[in-house]
Amino acid sequence: MRTFLKEKANIFNEFREEVFSHYSQAVIEDAVARLLVEIKGIKKIPYETITTTLLGVLSNNRNL
């Protein structure tokens, strides 16, 4: 089981590196913030939540 979890973590680390090699974390976060403003009409942008959620998704962290 530990081997499986370690392999899974390695896969998500590689995935995160691949994503950030094409688009920086800041660019992705800015795009999400723009979507929240333009689509949802949210005026106060939760940048900390965006960062936490992005990193959580890209590391398969289910404790969001």
Side-chain angles (χ1 to χ4, degrees), residues 2-20 55-61:
R2 288 182 190 199
T3 303
F4 170 75
L5 293 176
K6 185 175 181 180
E7 289 176 10
K8 187 175 176 183
N10 288 338
I11 290 169
F12 274 96
N13 286 336
E14 290 174 10
F15 176 67
R16 182 177 60 241
E17 289 175 17
E18 179 70 20
V19 168
F20 289 156
L55 294 176
V57 167
L58 293 177
S59 66
N60 195 30
N61 181 355

Side-chain angles (χ1 to χ4, degrees), residues 5-63:
L5 293 176
K6 185 175 181 180
E7 289 176 10
K8 187 175 176 183
N10 288 338
I11 290 169
F12 274 96
N13 286 336
E14 290 174 10
F15 176 67
R16 182 177 60 241
E17 289 175 17
E18 179 70 20
V19 168
F20 289 156
S21 73
H22 295 289
Y23 302 99
S24 71
Q25 181 176 340
V27 169
I28 295 171
E29 290 173 359
D30 287 342
V32 171
R34 282 194 313 271
L35 285 172
L36 289 174
V37 169
E38 294 175 12
I39 307 270
K40 289 291 196 176
I42 295 174
K43 300 200 187 306
K44 185 178 178 186
I45 304 301
Y47 283 103
E48 185 176 309
T49 302
I50 292 171
T51 300
T52 303
T53 303
L54 174 63
L55 294 176
V57 167
L58 293 177
S59 66
N60 195 30
N61 181 355
R62 297 298 181 202
N63 298 322

